Amino acid sequence: MARTGIDRNTWRVITGWAHCVQSIGMILSTRIESRVMRRTFGSTVPQLQDANATRRILLELYVAIADALAKWEPGFRLQTIDLIKGGRDGVFMFVLSGIFYPRGHLGDYSLSEPRNTTMTAAANDNGFVIVSEAA
């Protein structure tokens, strides 16, 4: 059974890698303890939104991304994170590269595909958000 869900913007059915990319964006932009029935879901990435982009903070950000994906996304095993944009405007762009397991959500890791996705993140009045995801 392929992983299937609803696109949060278009309300259309999405499957496979597109669903995984949406899931990665949701995990990274959800603050831990913000979901009523699932308090541990999310990442510490939003807590770092107002910190200066020092080397220490960027390292904490990388660790937060890796920890959250290892815990919450069984269909993707992160291998590298590349910061390709970051500036005073508060917009950061990352390329997340790794292995996609189409049936990983079922515990089946027999099929795998190398994949990467670009996540563009920014802070706004509502807090930290993933403003775009590109497969």
Side-chain angles (χ1 to χ4, degrees):
M1 174 179 220
R3 60 185 292 161
T4 304
I6 301 295
D7 184 289
R8 65 182 172 189
N9 297 315
T10 66
W11 291 88
R12 293 194 172 130
V13 174
I14 55 174
T15 60
W17 177 240
H19 185 267
C20 187
V21 169
Q22 178 174 277
S23 176
I24 291 169
M26 185 65 70
I27 292 164
L28 298 181
S29 62
T30 300
R31 187 179 300 269
I32 293 175
E33 296 190 0
S34 66
R35 293 222 172 158
V36 175
M37 298 299 286
R38 205 172 202 187
R39 292 286 186 194
T40 60
F41 179 81
S43 73
T44 57
V45 170
Q47 292 171 292
L48 300 170
Q49 76 182 36
D50 290 329
N52 291 328
T54 63
R55 289 179 187 208
R56 182 178 147 267
I57 294 298
L58 287 174
L59 180 59
E60 285 183 38
L61 182 61
Y62 281 43
V63 169
I65 291 169
D67 283 349
L69 294 182
K71 183 174 184 177
W72 294 110
E73 184 45 70
F76 184 69
R77 292 293 172 256
L78 182 67
Q79 292 179 317
T80 62
I81 303 170
D82 292 315
L83 176 64
I84 59 173
K85 180 183 187 267
R88 295 186 185 274
D89 62 355
V91 177
F92 287 79
M93 188 177 292
F94 298 93
V95 175
L96 307 179
S97 300
I99 305 297
F100 170 57
Y101 297 95
R103 297 175 53 85
H105 63 294
L106 301 172
D108 178 359
Y109 297 96
S110 61
L111 298 173
S112 64
E113 307 167 7
R115 294 288 182 122
N116 61 59
T117 183
T118 302
M119 296 282 170
T120 303
N124 66 16
D125 293 339
N126 298 319
F128 179 85
V129 293
I130 301 294
V131 292
S132 69
E133 307 148 358

